[in-house]
Amino acid sequence: MYEDKNIQCRDCSEEFVFTSGEQEFYAERGFQNEPQRCKGCRDAKKAAARGPREYFSTICADCGQEAKVPFEPKTERPVYCSDCFSTQRAEF
């Protein structure tokens, strides 16, 4: 039903593909307009609107190393560095 379309990004002028799957997704959600920006430019625009992310320093509950996290840690819950978090996540 849908065919891939090549669209030129309005920001970087690079051509990107608006896939048939994406077109179907847009139709299911009732979106009327096709995307005007490539994924990279859409992500950059979202990040710019969000502003810079604030990071907090804490000590990893597993290895004791310093960890920087994008949220303010609460004292009653353990906080892990990236490596230990990956290990913890893999165990579940």
Side-chain angles (χ1 to χ4, degrees):
M1 181 170 174
Y2 296 103
E3 290 185 24
D4 291 355
K5 287 185 183 180
N6 290 327
I7 301 175
Q8 187 173 6
C9 177
R10 73 185 291 182
D11 290 348
C12 69
S13 300
E14 293 292 320
E15 204 169 83
F16 67 96
V17 178
F18 184 37
T19 66
S20 59
E22 291 170 328
Q23 291 175 50
E24 188 174 343
F25 175 83
Y26 272 52
E28 287 173 359
R29 304 286 184 293
F31 299 147
Q32 300 291 318
N33 301 318
E34 295 179 346
Q36 297 183 7
R37 293 179 178 86
C38 65
K39 173 124 175 68
C41 290
R42 283 195 313 263
D43 291 346
K45 185 173 165 65
K46 287 178 189 176
R50 185 178 339 132
R53 205 173 231 189
E54 183 179 0
Y55 285 89
F56 298 87
S57 290
T58 188
I59 302 299
C60 176
D62 199 22
C63 69
Q65 299 277 334
E66 181 182 15
K68 295 206 182 270
V69 293
F71 58 90
E72 190 167 10
K74 308 263 189 222
T75 56
E76 66 270 3
R77 299 196 64 193
V79 177
Y80 303 102
C81 66
S82 297
D83 293 334
C84 293
F85 180 76
S86 297
T87 303
Q88 292 284 331
R89 189 176 217 185
E91 292 176 4
F92 290 105

